[in-house]
Amino acid sequence: MKTLIAYYSRSGRTKTAAEKIAELTGGTLLEICEAEPYPAEYRQLVNRVLGEIQTDARPAIQPVAGSSADWDALILGTPNWCGTMAPPLMTFLQQWDWSGKKILPFGTNGGGGTGRLAEDIARLVPNGNIAPVLDLPDPEGPTKKTKSPSSIVNEMPFRASVPLSYTFLTSISRIIYSSQFSETRMLSAEKVTKWLHASLYGFFPYFATGKI
């Protein structure tokens, strides 16, 4: 399956997540960038983004080669900007025809969730095969909470029917995050893996095959 991983990133967090997902999927990375850079000053940035979102504007983006016909699936990564995706990604989604394609969205945020991301993707690509949004909050964000491994597993969009292997979790965490990260982040890596398999293939095959 040919998978495109298109993302917008300002701080670098969404880019990091996209790169780690690319390691798992073998997908091709594509960074979407606005043609006219956003202001560096925070209030000016917010004012421009709010204006684009409120007017449903499609800001110009830097040229992107190819077409949706080149891909079987799209993994779409965005920060939560004013409750939705970054406006340049809206431009990208409507630049190509994603009808009938698998679309796997993930959203990074400081603890505010993914907002209207799912609804806005469905509005922009009404005939797309859209998977549940993967929420990737910043573990150091303002709403950080300590969760038990069992509670994190229970929140996963797809749960395996056999117990999780600590050895498996450790090996996957080394792919997603460096070894100094916490157990919570390690289990979040497992969450990413489950989301990918459940969304791309409709099942979770690694227990049977021993590999991803």
Side-chain angles (χ1 to χ4, degrees):
M1 178 177 290
K2 294 186 295 182
T3 303
L4 178 66
I5 305 170
Y7 67 92
Y8 181 88
S9 185
R10 182 174 176 85
S11 69
R13 290 192 62 248
T14 307
K15 178 180 181 178
T16 297
E19 290 172 344
K20 298 305 182 181
I21 289 173
E23 291 180 19
L24 282 174
T25 63
T28 299
L29 288 164
L30 173 64
E31 184 173 11
I32 303 300
C33 299
E34 68 275 17
E36 180 185 348
Y38 283 108
E41 200 277 323
Y42 178 73
R43 290 189 179 181
Q44 294 178 9
L45 168 66
V46 170
N47 287 338
R48 177 172 158 185
V49 171
L50 272 176
E52 291 172 346
I53 291 173
Q54 290 172 351
T55 60
D56 207 24
R58 299 291 177 266
I61 60 175
Q62 294 182 14
V64 177
S67 74
S68 58
D70 300 328
W71 308 100
D72 300 309
L74 169 67
I75 296 177
L76 188 74
T78 181
N80 179 340
W81 275 15
C82 303
T84 186
M85 74 186 82
L89 284 179
M90 297 183 184
T91 303
F92 170 71
L93 278 178
Q94 291 198 309
Q95 195 171 81
W96 291 359
D97 181 10
W98 294 102
S99 299
K101 301 285 186 176
K102 289 180 179 289
I103 300 177
L104 291 71
F106 71 88
T108 59
N109 58 87
T114 56
R116 304 184 308 277
L117 179 56
E119 293 86 347
D120 285 342
I121 292 175
R123 176 174 60 87
L124 295 169
V125 191
N127 297 316
N129 183 3
I130 304 169
V133 177
L134 176 65
D135 183 8
L136 296 178
D138 182 357
E140 305 302 327
T143 60
K144 176 184 178 182
K145 297 179 181 178
T146 302
K147 298 182 179 180
S148 67
S150 60
S151 68
I152 294 172
V153 169
N154 287 334
E155 292 173 2
M156 294 175 182
F158 181 93
R159 281 187 282 172
S161 59
V162 296
L164 298 174
S165 159
Y166 179 79
T167 301
F168 169 77
L169 291 175
T170 303
S171 64
I172 293 300
S173 72
R174 288 171 182 160
I175 296 175
I176 298 283
Y177 301 111
S178 62
S179 59
Q180 75 244 28
F181 280 57
S182 67
E183 182 185 13
T184 298
R185 291 194 183 185
M186 180 176 71
L187 289 171
S188 293
E190 208 275 348
K191 176 179 178 179
V192 171
T193 307
K194 284 182 173 244
W195 170 77
L196 286 168
H197 280 285
S199 299
L200 282 171
Y201 309 113
F203 67 99
F204 194 23
Y206 76 85
F207 283 108
T209 63
K211 60 184 179 180
I212 295 177

